[in-house]
Amino acid sequence: MSNVRNFALIVAASTFLAACTNNPYTGESEAGKAGIYGGIGAVTGAVIGAATSSKKDRGKGALIGAAVGGAAGGGYGYYVDKQEAQLRQKLVGTGVQVQRNGDQLTLIMPGNITFASNSSDISSSFYPTLNSLVTVFKEFDKNGIDITGHTDSTGSLALNQNLSNARAQSVASYLAANGVASNRISAFGAGPNQPIASNATEAGRAQNRRVEITLRQL
């Protein structure tokens, strides 16, 4: 009974500590999804802390583990919450999709709003969207920016590979030229090798012609 009671106290303390943790990136109190992440991290940290401490220090170890686990679990999740909200607000009506998978954000930019056919020159109508991205990326500067160019399967593999490389590099160069730290940015061309729709139809090929930006924790 004593062990059960002690563990219940540890879990309660872990949850409390997670709720009280300030975000290490912004200094704000954590809430929303980050509270869930922090709570999970805190409980996990408490269990590990208790298991790796001597019997007499088990309670102390659990509390230390809870504090560390809560901060680690909640910090970046909260940061991504804020960044996602900013991106969705600024990209309304642009045609850019914002997708989230865990703590990874992906921006999908279809070819019809980014580049002219068979060109790596940024379309003039796309500059306002890129400027919005620059603003958000400079404010939220704690993640890497992976830019990938994609094409459909029309034409030779070499042509498509070169075109996808050039388009990814064009976006990367624009971000860097406007103040986004270049050491955060990578650019890669996938050519036609990562389709998201069938290349047998025009609609499918249009979906495959795209640039994606993936934001990941550094």
Side-chain angles (χ1 to χ4, degrees):
M1 284 297 293
S2 177
N3 288 338
V4 173
R5 187 164 54 248
N6 287 341
F7 185 75
L9 289 172
I10 287 168
V11 172
S14 300
T15 305
F16 174 76
L17 284 168
C20 294
T21 300
N22 282 343
N23 183 269
Y25 295 104
T26 66
E28 298 178 34
S29 177
E30 292 174 0
K33 295 177 185 176
I36 298 172
Y37 304 146
I40 294 170
V43 173
T44 303
V47 172
I48 294 172
T52 56
S53 301
S54 64
K55 187 173 182 180
K56 68 177 182 178
D57 291 329
R58 196 156 290 163
K60 180 180 178 181
L63 290 174
I64 293 172
V68 174
Y76 191 68
Y78 179 80
Y79 180 85
V80 176
D81 288 348
K82 302 284 281 186
Q83 188 177 34
E84 179 186 10
Q86 282 272 47
L87 286 168
R88 290 191 183 280
Q89 178 184 351
K90 289 187 175 295
L91 296 175
V92 169
T94 64
V96 177
Q97 297 179 49
V98 181
Q99 295 184 352
R100 181 167 179 174
N101 182 15
D103 284 342
Q104 180 174 286
L105 292 173
T106 300
L107 311 177
I108 301 175
M109 299 172 285
N112 65 310
I113 68 169
T114 53
F115 300 96
S117 178
N118 202 31
S119 173
S120 60
D121 295 331
I122 295 171
S123 297
S124 59
S125 60
F126 191 51
Y127 284 116
T129 299
L130 286 178
N131 291 336
S132 294
L133 294 182
V134 166
T135 300
V136 176
F137 293 165
K138 288 166 73 173
E139 178 181 353
F140 293 86
D141 58 359
K142 300 295 190 295
N143 44 25
I145 302 167
D146 297 335
I147 304 167
T148 307
H150 301 268
T151 67
D152 61 32
S153 61
T154 305
S156 71
L157 180 61
L159 183 150
N160 284 318
Q161 184 62 54
N162 290 335
L163 181 61
S164 65
N165 278 328
R167 287 179 167 180
Q169 189 56 57
S170 289
V171 174
S173 297
Y174 188 83
L175 296 179
N178 285 275
V180 179
S182 59
N183 62 355
R184 297 173 57 200
I185 302 172
S186 70
F188 168 76
N193 296 320
Q194 298 176 16
I196 56 175
S198 171
N199 278 304
T201 66
E202 175 52 39
R205 291 191 293 273
Q207 290 183 62
N208 291 332
R209 297 190 295 267
R210 68 199 190 279
V211 173
E212 294 185 357
I213 295 180
T214 299
L215 304 175
R216 54 172 174 77
Q217 186 173 10
L218 287 173

